[in-house]
Amino acid sequence: MLYDVVIIGAGPSGLSAAIYASRAKLKTLIIEKKWCGGKMATIGLLENYPGFYDEISGHDLSIKFEKHAVKFGAKLVYDEVKKIDNNTIKKIITVNSNYNTKSIIIATGTSIRKTNILGEEIFIGKGVSFCATCDAPFYKDKTVLVIGGGDSAIQESIYLSKFAKNVIIIHRRNKLRATSILQKRITLYSNIFILYNYLVKEILGKNTVEKVIIENIKTHKKKEMKIDGVFIFVGQIPNTSFVTNITLSSNQYIITDNDMNTSVSGIFACGDVREKLLKQIIISASDGAVAAIGAQNYIELCS
Ligand code: NAP
């Protein structure tokens, strides 16, 4: 079977690309490693995706994207891409199979960045979490620490505050990175506190997290803080380890032009995996549509 387009990744950009490609009657395959929706599926509540003014959960929006993509005939398989062979007919090698295609859209997004703090690895699933939506209910009436100062840290802290007694955000600088709307909003929650200029040095406990050692970055004074859980939101790393011969930025994101063309003809990239300033679901969705139209034009030009 020769596909017109194979889309790698079923997050908002990949699924949008699939909607546009399959609706344009391209033979479309989506290969997803984990679950549909990607990072979007783990977000508690979305309040800025157009049309959903009553709020919608990331999980529910992911299901809608997936249903929309397969409605027009896109095929979805769960598999992991290991390599791309870039010839006139492109070949995608996965763990379980090989797929031939005329064009490729890479929409693999990003993965969570870890901190390498002592104890982080040991306590994953035992008090260390990277997903508030998944784990917040375990911290009802408890005290949790959130590491990070970006949009994710703030948004997820707000979600956590609905369950936990206290949420303490610890940030390594004296100024948050998060957008001003979120910075303003967080002041409305009386059980969220922000500790500036501190780093977590160690996470400790017997079987589960019980305390952390934190250090003031100015005075280097250390102190112990009793907490029940640590939520880590310190940014993302792009999922590009399988990508070869495509130009990447110094931090391993895929470089594209405004039409989502990568440095290789017929291979497009969209969503958070590409080098860009703003990372938002709506921007990923838009990227996916542009990439699919690009793939369609590429196929027409080549045939
Ligand atoms: P981010 O914007 O890169 O923020 C990461 C935060 O973690 C920064 O405050 C950073 O500190 C801190 N950090 C990084 N490494 C650290 C370490 N080793 N120890 C302690 N702190 C560390 O990441 P993000 O919040 O995941 O957001 C990623 C992208 O998604 C952004 O473009 C964001 O706007 C977008 N996003 C948007 C929304 C929304 O619109 N509602 C929600 C979530 C994410 P410094 O500030 O000192 O660098």
Side-chain angles (χ1 to χ4, degrees):
M1 154 87 100
L2 175 64
Y3 286 97
D4 290 317
V5 57
V6 172
I7 299 162
I8 310 173
S13 65
L15 291 172
S16 296
I19 292 167
Y20 272 72
S22 53
R23 189 166 174 268
K25 305 238 177 297
L26 300 185
K27 243 180 266 153
T28 305
L29 174 72
I30 314 161
I31 305 175
E32 167 56 47
K33 185 166 115 176
K34 289 182 180 160
W35 60 75
C36 277
K39 241 185 357 273
M40 171 169 76
T42 69
I43 297 173
L45 282 177
L46 297 167
E47 52 181 23
N48 57 0
Y49 197 81
F52 295 96
Y53 52 86
D54 279 337
E55 297 181 344
I56 182 163
S57 73
H59 174 261
D60 288 353
L61 190 58
S62 299
I63 290 172
K64 286 186 186 292
F65 270 52
E66 179 188 346
K67 283 189 176 162
H68 203 163
V70 297
K71 172 184 167 181
F72 293 117
K75 188 180 165 199
L76 172 66
V77 295
Y78 286 92
D79 204 343
E80 181 178 358
V81 172
K82 289 293 189 193
K83 195 170 165 240
I84 295 172
D85 272 350
N86 176 38
N87 297 309
T88 316
I89 296 300
K90 299 170 187 354
K91 184 175 254 186
I92 294 180
I93 296 118
T94 66
V95 171
N96 299 312
S97 192
N98 295 332
Y99 300 95
N100 293 325
T101 179
K102 296 177 189 168
S103 68
I104 296 171
I105 297 176
I106 302 173
T108 42
T110 57
S111 293
I112 43 171
R113 182 188 284 145
K114 292 184 181 169
T115 59
N116 293 325
I117 293 168
L118 279 173
E120 178 188 49
E121 207 64 44
I122 299 169
F123 289 108
I124 290 175
K126 296 179 216 157
V128 168
S129 171
F130 301 87
C131 176
T133 318
C134 319
D135 295 330
F138 297 124
Y139 295 92
K140 201 166 180 306
D141 298 327
K142 302 206 163 162
T143 296
V144 296
L145 192 73
V146 169
I147 305 178
D151 283 342
S152 299
I154 303 308
Q155 200 172 38
E156 301 303 296
S157 294
I158 290 172
Y159 187 78
L160 279 165
S161 72
K162 299 179 197 320
F163 299 84
K165 183 168 73 184
N166 290 311
V167 178
I168 303 163
I169 299 171
I170 189 159
H171 183 39
R172 63 182 178 183
R173 287 189 295 137
N174 62 356
K175 198 170 173 285
L176 294 173
R177 179 179 291 278
T179 44
S180 55
I181 185 165
L182 285 176
Q183 291 196 35
K184 215 174 266 174
R185 174 151 337 137
I186 205 159
T187 61
L188 303 175
Y189 293 82
S190 59
N191 62 339
I192 302 180
F193 308 91
I194 307 180
L195 208 51
Y196 291 101
N197 298 318
Y198 270 95
L199 280 174
V200 176
K201 299 304 281 185
E202 195 168 356
I203 303 168
L204 296 155
K206 277 196 195 112
N207 299 318
T208 57
V209 170
E210 292 168 9
K211 59 187 177 188
V212 288
I213 308 287
I214 61 170
E215 181 184 279
N216 184 297
I217 58 156
K218 289 184 173 158
T219 62
H220 298 290
K221 266 198 170 159
K222 289 185 181 166
K223 63 179 178 186
E224 206 176 275
M225 186 188 261
K226 279 200 163 32
I227 39 101
D228 301 300
V230 180
F231 284 80
I232 300 174
F233 304 106
V234 296
Q236 311 289 326
I237 44 174
N239 294 321
T240 49
S241 58
F242 65 93
V243 173
T244 49
N245 302 325
I246 294 175
T247 307
L248 302 179
S249 67
S250 57
N251 47 4
Q252 306 299 300
Y253 285 84
I254 299 176
I255 295 178
T256 68
D257 63 13
N258 288 340
D259 296 325
M260 310 302 145
N261 291 294
T262 67
S263 57
V264 176
S265 180
I267 301 186
F268 303 81
C270 56
D272 285 4
V273 76
R274 75 184 187 93
E275 178 70 35
K276 60 179 177 177
L277 192 61
L278 293 173
K279 293 185 165 62
Q280 299 282 314
I281 294 167
I282 187 162
I283 296 171
S284 289
S286 159
D287 278 6
V290 175
I293 293 166
Q296 189 185 357
N297 292 339
Y298 170 80
I299 293 163
E300 278 167 14
L301 270 176
C302 292
S303 54

